[in-house]
Amino acid sequence: MRRFVIGRVRNLLETSRQNHQFKRPLLSSSQSPYRFLSSTTLADSPSSSSSSPSTMAPPVTVDTINPKVLECEYAVRGEIVTLAQNLQQEIQKKPDAHPFEEILYCNIGNPQSLGQQPITFFREVLALCDHPSILDKSETQGLFSADSIERAWQILDQIPGRATGAYSHSQGIKGLRDAIAAGIEARDGFPADPNDIFLTDGASPAVHMMMQLLIRSEKDGILCPIPQYPLYSASIALHGGTLVPYYLDEATGWGLEVSELKKQLETAKSKGITVRALVVINPGNPTGQVLAEENQRGIVEFCKQEGLVLLADEVYQENVYVPEKKFHSFKKVSRSMGYGEKDISLVSFQSVSKGYYGECGKRGGYMEVTGFGADVREQIYKVASVNLCSNISGQILASLVMSPPKVGDESYESYSAERDGILSSLARRAKTLEDAFNKLEGVTCNKAEGAMYLFPRICLPEKAIKAAEAAKTAPDAFYCRRLLTATGIVFVPGSGFGQVPGTWHFRCTILPQEDKIPAIVTRLTEFHQSFMDEYRD
Amino acid sequence: MGIKALDYESLNENVKKVQYAVRGELYLRASELQKEGKKIIFTNVGNPHALGQKPLTFPRQVVALCQAPFLLDDPNVGLLFPADAIARAKHYLSLTSGGLGAYSDSRGIPGIRKEVAEFIERRDGYPSDPELIFLTDGASKGVMQTLNCIIRGEGDGILVPVPQYPLYSATISLLGGSLVPYYLEETANWGLDINDLRQSVAQARMKGITVRAMVIINPGNPTGQCLSEANLREILTFCYRENLVLLGDEVYQQNVYQDERPFISSRKVLMDMGPPISKEVQLISFHTVSKGYWGECGQRGGYFEMTNIPPQTVDEIYKIASIALSPNVPAQIFMGLMVNPLKPGDISYEQFVRESQGILQSLRRRARIMTDGFNSCKNVVCNFTEGAMYSFPQIRLPPKAIEAAKKAGKVPDVFYCLKLLEATGISTVPGSGFGQKEGVFHLRTTILPAEEDMPAIMSSFKKFNDEFMEQYEDNWSHSRM
């Protein structure tokens, strides 16, 4: 449906542009209220909100806005979520409006909206930095841990004038970048330069910045995993580039084969696309796989040989649930292969939204950019400076995430108990839901080795697929919609992430609180049974 | 291996074209000098807290409590926080869906958007719809999102005042659009001339540019002028006739230092004008927590309000906002507090009023001190700062100075500002960063240095300037002899 609309809009824009060349009277300097005929005079312009029979459409309508805006999509907060919100409002007005009491949002990686508690130490430090004048008061000692007070002082001393309300350096406060660089070094065993770090309002703006830098036209391609987190497809569309897909292999636990990368690169080249970068999400979203180190080496080698920038989305680096896998940053892997600044251009994205801290609402994150010249760094700095800086509270949080309490610190025990509690709970929920999905008829689900999602595959019977077609919906969206209206559970259809054509999936987060999981499993199982009963061939 | 993907040559050209002088050459040089130990007075950016202005107490108390809600359970919390801050924190937490750490609605927390709508209604006397108000990570993000929707390619032009705040020129460059300048008239207090506007539009159209939108910054940046109601009516009529969407940058609406022209919002005037204009002209208004007497730049809190934008377009803008998931929640709370302030009788009311008025009155005094100080300098002429946070004096550079600048490979006002920086540590932004008429030079400074430091700063400036003028005029007069 959307494809059709986009095509039609494009035609309209073309026509209007041609028309404009001909009818363009010069402005009269008289004071008459005569309205100038604009280029957007279209008889069937549908979106004018004016009730007067105006000869021209207002300047900003769906027909005249940037077509790249129309083209991009973001399913995580798309149609199904809007429907869920409407249902929620209906229940609020009339509690028995639907066969369920509440909506269970399993569509978005937003842990604290589902009851996950923030890390106490982090919040103590942030509160003190927000209101530093209480640091001098004796009552503060009674309300805050000693090491949080100490850390707040430390951080404030790194901020000129202790002014947390001032714009900072456009890359972020230097002292905080130092702490982050130290954290990266402690994690990887290889040095990190604070000047390579750009603090941003979440990882997403940093991704946009890189796409903006790399994409010159639709001839520039970015290799993206399928399935992928749709920020990438949306950002590429917004910047007018081309997404070059590479398929993760569901049969081998969503394996990433370098041979597949090579194949897709060649195909793109043959179509005249200049492939500029490779996006790797590790741990994966929506797929949850954690790459083996050997695999990572192959990827690094590939990027080096092909001159591609490696865009490493590593926001789930603290979310690993299986003992046989470990997170290794791509920087660590590159450096341990002996590859330095001259060998590979690498951007690593990290965020405060995930991990065990789940601080989505703070909008904190950074990118570490290595392997490029000073002139490029200047350009990145310049683009960052137009927005002045990212929010200070988010910057502070990013530094805390990368340098949390250590053994011996007063808050260490409570901090590590909170952290381990959250991580082990996530691992349990991942397993419980994975098992539940695998028990459903026609559903197979790979293990979630990391991240926050499960991405089960559903083999829909022909009857269901036909019913979906009749309803003018994709089959996975059809299933998700039916699930929502029957149970209140919100999944995101796999088509929002990309999948091998002809296969259907949906993404479900592992984030609802543990005590809600049994109800979810029961309702899902019941619904699925009756759905299959209805549509079984 | 040939050119790598992240080599300078292969970067997006639009990125390379971007300029943003506010944190450009002068700022970088000033930072270098600071590292070498020189005392620098940064007056390059409207960043009040960096120059000693204190944050208002009440909002910081509320947000601190929201950051650490476990404090609210502590029986001793009242020892550190007043009851109204505690109540307000509970109020805002109840509006979130999971506290400060959860993504909110992509448009911002509904309850806070409602508070913004109520503020707009109180201010203007016309109802405002929370569904048409989107909170953003600073007003700048809202401007970028809006321009991204409007600009399809270089055939699309945006009318921008000259001088302007270079967010507009930078964003238009980044998006590959065309900037259509309209000149503010310095001798008429940086006033706006409709005939000049018409000419700019006509010229653009002759070049094949479709002019889509008009930006006004009111109060102005860097110029400070406050638009009169008559001016706003003219502008709205113009937009109606020329089919332009009006982008009203009103971030300095709290910063007004004269009484002849108080702030009036574009929306109020639009509504006052009645149909058809009030129902037809498309308007997007921007506001922030960074300016005013709040000065909370580091929070990155802002909003835009849409008027007469069709529902389908609003949906598309919502879609784009959803890709960024949500604006940061602490800043949304700052916004709520700003639009829904304390009332007489509230425990913290008097302190709040004292702090706010203190800041505003001091800004008013500093606007005067700076204007007068500049006007006392040789070859410097300065319009009064009616509003906003800046002073934009005209520096009449003698021909020899301009020559010396050329020799040094610098734009004349950059040359002057660099010398000013090296001599006095005062870091300003050259007028060329904002746009100015050919051959006319300015610099932008802020009125934000502490009041007690102002006299010393102005005399330091005067000393440098007058000596500079001596030096370059002397040469000239000698050559005449």
Side-chain angles (χ1 to χ4, degrees):
Chain A
M1 177 72 170
R2 188 165 276 265
R3 282 264 99 83
F4 167 74
V5 171
I6 290 167
R8 184 162 164 267
V9 168
R10 281 226 183 89
N11 290 338
L12 289 171
L13 285 170
E14 253 324 294
T15 322
S16 76
R17 204 163 266 147
Q18 286 161 15
N19 284 344
H20 183 65
Q21 302 305 324
F22 297 107
K23 38 177 162 175
R24 208 182 322 119
L26 282 173
L27 281 164
S28 100
S29 56
S30 76
Q31 296 288 327
S32 79
Y34 150 82
R35 279 181 92 184
F36 177 68
L37 280 174
S38 86
S39 60
T40 56
T41 310
L42 296 160
D44 56 345
S45 169
S47 39
S48 167
S49 58
S50 156
S51 53
S52 71
S54 151
T55 51
M56 61 178 152
V60 181
T61 70
V62 180
D63 298 321
T64 56
I65 64 172
N66 182 356
K68 294 179 204 148
V69 164
L70 291 174
E71 218 172 281
C72 84
E73 310 205 316
Y74 185 71
V76 175
R77 278 200 157 168
E79 252 175 63
I80 196 123
V81 180
T82 312
L83 175 58
Q85 284 162 344
N86 292 341
L87 296 178
Q88 185 168 35
Q89 279 172 359
E90 284 168 24
I91 297 173
Q92 268 161 8
K93 289 200 188 105
K94 204 166 153 273
D96 56 358
H98 293 281
F100 45 86
E101 305 161 334
E102 57 175 337
I103 300 288
L104 290 158
Y105 287 100
C106 302
N107 60 303
I108 181 174
N110 195 12
Q112 293 190 30
S113 75
L114 293 167
Q116 181 174 308
Q117 293 302 300
I119 300 292
T120 307
F121 178 78
F122 293 166
R123 291 302 191 90
E124 285 182 297
V125 175
L126 288 172
L128 290 165
C129 291
D130 271 338
H131 190 37
S133 55
I134 58 175
L135 280 168
D136 293 321
K137 304 223 163 94
S138 56
E139 293 92 334
T140 305
Q141 323 273 344
L143 284 167
F144 292 85
S145 62
D147 52 350
S148 72
I149 293 173
E150 202 188 307
R151 184 73 81 103
W153 276 124
Q154 226 182 68
I155 289 169
L156 289 166
D157 282 342
Q158 292 167 333
I159 301 176
R162 301 211 178 118
T164 53
Y167 293 126
S168 71
H169 185 289
S170 294
Q171 283 178 244
I173 293 159
K174 177 67 172 33
L176 298 177
R177 285 185 280 130
D178 290 340
I180 291 170
I184 294 171
E185 183 164 351
R187 180 194 69 195
D188 294 347
F190 292 95
D193 183 349
N195 292 323
D196 290 341
I197 294 169
F198 289 75
L199 283 154
T200 47
D201 289 304
S204 299
V207 170
H208 284 301
M209 244 196 269
M210 290 313 302
M211 293 304 175
Q212 187 157 61
L213 240 83
L214 288 168
I215 296 172
R216 296 162 296 187
S217 74
E218 73 265 13
K219 289 206 163 43
D220 283 328
I222 311 285
L223 271 160
C224 285
I226 301 294
Q228 47 103 43
Y229 172 52
L231 163 68
Y232 294 96
S233 46
S235 188
I236 292 166
L238 269 175
H239 292 101
T242 297
L243 191 152
V244 178
Y246 67 89
Y247 290 86
L248 301 175
D249 186 1
E250 186 157 17
T252 59
W254 299 112
L256 198 168
E257 300 299 322
V258 177
S259 55
E260 166 69 4
L261 295 178
K262 286 197 171 116
K263 179 176 133 208
Q264 297 296 353
L265 175 63
E266 292 312 312
T267 308
K269 276 186 189 165
S270 70
K271 291 189 198 152
I273 307 265
T274 310
V275 179
R276 311 265 286 158
L278 168 69
V279 172
V280 180
I281 310 173
N282 182 45
N285 175 6
T287 49
Q289 89 284 21
V290 178
L291 294 171
E293 212 174 336
E294 203 191 306
N295 206 177
Q296 289 181 277
R297 284 198 283 269
I299 293 163
V300 168
E301 197 60 58
F302 170 76
C303 287
K304 178 178 183 306
Q305 272 168 22
E306 303 294 343
L308 304 178
V309 179
L310 177 50
L311 301 174
D313 179 337
E314 300 180 325
V315 303
Y316 295 100
Q317 55 188 264
E318 301 269 8
N319 301 99
V320 179
Y321 309 126
V322 295
E324 66 268 19
K325 290 281 181 75
K326 250 192 85 189
F327 169 76
H328 304 284
S329 78
F330 270 101
K331 177 137 167 283
K332 171 173 152 193
V333 170
S334 309
R335 296 290 179 268
S336 53
M337 290 166 78
Y339 292 148
E341 297 269 342
K342 293 197 181 17
D343 302 298
I344 181 159
S345 299
L346 169 61
V347 184
S348 164
F349 303 97
Q350 165 63 317
S351 169
V352 305
S353 301
K354 312 300 176 194
Y356 54 88
Y357 19 90
E359 296 276 22
C360 301
K362 299 298 179 60
R363 312 318 280 115
Y366 69 79
M367 62 177 177
E368 182 194 14
V369 198
T370 56
F372 59 99
D375 45 7
V376 172
R377 190 207 298 277
E378 255 171 51
Q379 296 300 312
I380 301 178
Y381 170 83
K382 184 177 69 175
V383 171
S385 75
V386 179
N387 193 47
L388 285 149
C389 72
S390 64
N391 84 78
I392 306 300
S393 188
Q395 291 188 32
I396 293 172
L397 188 49
S399 79
L400 290 169
V401 159
M402 295 306 286
S403 63
K406 294 186 185 35
V407 176
D409 291 350
E410 176 186 319
S411 297
Y412 180 72
E413 278 188 30
S414 55
Y415 153 79
S416 56
E418 286 174 358
R419 176 197 65 197
D420 295 343
I422 288 167
L423 287 174
S424 57
S425 172
L426 284 166
R428 281 193 300 274
R429 285 177 270 168
K431 190 80 182 69
T432 306
L433 286 168
E434 177 205 330
D435 289 344
F437 283 125
N438 277 314
K439 287 203 176 78
L440 300 177
E441 180 188 339
V443 177
T444 52
C445 186
N446 281 338
K447 184 190 270 303
E449 298 182 330
M452 289 178 174
Y453 316 96
L454 288 161
F455 199 64
R457 177 172 169 189
I458 177 169
C459 289
L460 289 164
E462 257 317 298
K463 256 173 93 180
I465 295 179
K466 289 225 159 49
E469 265 162 36
K472 291 199 175 38
T473 320
D476 48 13
F478 181 76
Y479 180 91
C480 287
R481 225 190 133 101
R482 288 285 303 269
L483 172 71
L484 169 60
T485 50
T487 66
I489 297 171
V490 191
F491 290 166
V492 186
S495 36
F497 303 87
Q499 52 207 344
V500 169
T503 67
W504 312 107
H505 301 76
F506 44 80
R507 188 186 80 166
C508 161
T509 71
I510 59 173
L511 299 174
Q513 286 302 291
E514 257 181 294
D515 58 5
K516 290 244 181 327
I517 301 283
I520 293 177
V521 171
T522 309
R523 278 195 234 170
L524 168 67
T525 309
E526 273 170 18
F527 162 78
H528 187 83
Q529 178 72 46
S530 72
F531 182 91
M532 293 307 263
D533 285 343
E534 193 182 336
Y535 291 106
R536 198 176 290 113
D537 293 318
Chain B
M1 190 177 51
I3 292 186
K4 298 207 310 241
L6 255 186
D7 284 347
Y8 184 79
E9 295 75 40
S10 53
L11 289 182
N12 180 355
E13 283 301 318
N14 288 345
V15 167
K16 290 189 237 177
K17 282 196 204 130
V18 168
Q19 311 227 318
Y20 184 71
V22 174
R23 280 205 162 165
E25 187 179 352
L26 253 299
Y27 171 72
L28 293 170
R29 180 75 187 122
S31 305
E32 264 169 43
L33 290 171
Q34 187 181 47
K35 276 196 198 116
E36 291 167 21
K38 191 176 171 72
K39 177 167 191 309
I40 304 293
I41 303 151
F42 285 98
T43 72
N44 59 305
V45 70
N47 198 10
H49 294 197
L51 289 160
Q53 182 176 308
K54 296 268 164 281
L56 299 170
T57 309
F58 185 72
R60 291 306 189 98
Q61 289 170 329
V62 174
V63 177
L65 286 166
C66 291
Q67 286 279 18
F70 46 81
L71 291 172
L72 294 167
D73 297 326
D74 193 309
N76 288 328
V77 67
L79 295 173
L80 274 180
F81 296 89
D84 50 3
I86 293 170
R88 202 64 99 88
K90 288 183 178 160
H91 162 72
Y92 285 114
L93 284 171
S94 75
L95 295 179
T96 67
S97 38
L100 265 52
Y103 292 128
S104 72
D105 183 308
S106 300
R107 298 162 292 188
I109 294 166
I112 294 181
R113 284 154 55 220
K114 186 157 167 286
E115 290 182 343
V116 173
E118 286 162 2
F119 154 76
I120 293 171
E121 180 163 354
R122 281 193 310 271
R123 182 194 67 191
D124 295 345
Y126 294 98
S128 171
D129 184 355
E131 296 298 291
L132 297 174
I133 294 167
F134 284 27
L135 306 183
T136 51
D137 284 313
S140 297
K141 283 262 165 76
V143 168
M144 290 181 197
Q145 272 176 38
T146 306
L147 287 173
N148 185 39
C149 279
I150 296 172
I151 296 174
R152 298 164 297 188
E154 66 188 0
D156 283 333
I158 311 289
L159 270 167
V160 174
V162 177
Q164 47 101 40
Y165 172 52
L167 164 68
Y168 294 95
S169 47
T171 305
I172 293 166
S173 274
L174 264 175
L175 296 171
S178 292
L179 190 151
V180 179
Y182 67 91
Y183 290 85
L184 301 176
E185 182 46 60
E186 187 161 13
T187 58
N189 224 16
W190 294 116
L192 200 155
D193 178 10
I194 287 291
N195 288 315
D196 177 77
L197 210 41
R198 284 202 194 108
Q199 248 186 354
S200 299
V201 172
Q203 276 167 9
R205 285 177 179 154
M206 281 200 276
K207 291 185 201 158
I209 293 177
T210 309
V211 184
R212 306 284 306 283
M214 174 174 177
V215 174
I216 57 168
I217 310 174
N218 180 38
N221 176 6
T223 49
Q225 88 286 16
C226 296
L227 293 172
S228 66
E229 187 174 344
N231 238 171
L232 284 165
R233 280 178 177 253
E234 272 185 309
I235 289 163
L236 285 160
T237 305
F238 181 78
C239 289
Y240 176 69
R241 285 188 193 161
E242 305 301 338
N243 200 28
L244 307 173
V245 56
L246 181 61
L247 304 178
D249 179 338
E250 299 177 333
V251 301
Y252 295 101
Q253 57 187 268
Q254 282 176 359
N255 302 100
V256 177
Y257 311 126
Q258 40 70 37
D259 304 314
E260 293 76 42
R261 268 176 306 285
F263 171 74
I264 310 174
S265 78
S266 308
R267 190 163 187 274
K268 175 174 196 308
V269 177
L270 178 63
M271 293 298 132
D272 282 346
M273 290 171 85
I277 286 186
S278 61
K279 290 213 188 313
E280 305 261 346
V281 172
Q282 294 187 322
L283 166 66
I284 303 182
S285 314
F286 302 91
H287 198 11
T288 181
V289 304
S290 300
K291 311 300 178 192
Y293 47 86
W294 283 62
E296 291 279 10
C297 301
Q299 308 301 340
R300 313 318 278 113
Y303 75 74
F304 61 89
E305 181 199 19
M306 297 175 276
T307 304
N308 296 330
I309 307 290
Q312 279 173 290
T313 309
V314 174
D315 281 345
E316 291 297 323
I317 296 174
Y318 182 7
K319 181 182 73 179
I320 300 297
S322 73
I323 303 169
L325 287 150
S326 92
N328 90 73
V329 178
Q332 296 188 43
I333 295 176
F334 271 97
M335 181 58 80
L337 288 162
M338 187 178 84
V339 299
N340 188 9
L342 290 164
K343 297 178 185 40
D346 289 340
I347 297 167
S348 305
Y349 177 72
E350 286 188 7
Q351 175 192 62
F352 183 82
V353 169
R354 205 177 43 243
E355 289 173 351
S356 326
Q357 287 305 312
I359 290 167
L360 269 180
Q361 281 158 14
S362 172
L363 283 168
R364 193 178 263 238
R365 288 192 296 270
R366 281 179 276 170
R368 186 44 76 190
I369 294 172
M370 217 166 214
T371 307
D372 291 347
F374 282 129
N375 278 318
S376 77
C377 296
K378 201 172 160 61
N379 292 339
V380 178
V381 171
C382 189
N383 282 339
F384 176 61
T385 296
E386 297 186 346
M389 286 179 173
Y390 311 97
S391 191
F392 198 62
Q394 185 188 141
I395 316 286
R396 296 189 172 147
L397 293 169
K400 284 285 175 186
I402 297 177
E403 239 180 78
K406 279 210 181 82
K407 280 214 183 85
K410 299 275 176 214
V411 171
D413 49 19
V414 173
F415 178 77
Y416 178 92
C417 290
L418 281 169
K419 291 236 174 270
L420 169 67
L421 170 64
E422 315 248 343
T424 65
I426 300 171
S427 167
T428 58
V429 188
S432 41
F434 304 87
Q436 50 204 351
K437 289 207 172 122
E438 186 76 42
V440 184
F441 305 106
H442 305 79
L443 57 81
R444 188 188 81 166
T445 176
T446 65
I447 59 170
L448 299 173
E451 215 173 323
E452 60 263 26
D453 296 337
M454 276 286 191
I457 292 172
M458 293 318 290
S459 70
S460 174
F461 176 87
K462 186 173 162 66
K463 179 167 183 291
F464 161 79
N465 176 77
D466 292 358
E467 280 170 11
F468 179 97
M469 295 303 172
E470 285 282 317
Q471 180 189 354
Y472 288 101
E473 276 191 337
D474 257 351
N475 292 343
W476 177 68
S477 54
H478 281 148
S479 75
R480 276 185 90 198
M481 290 185 326

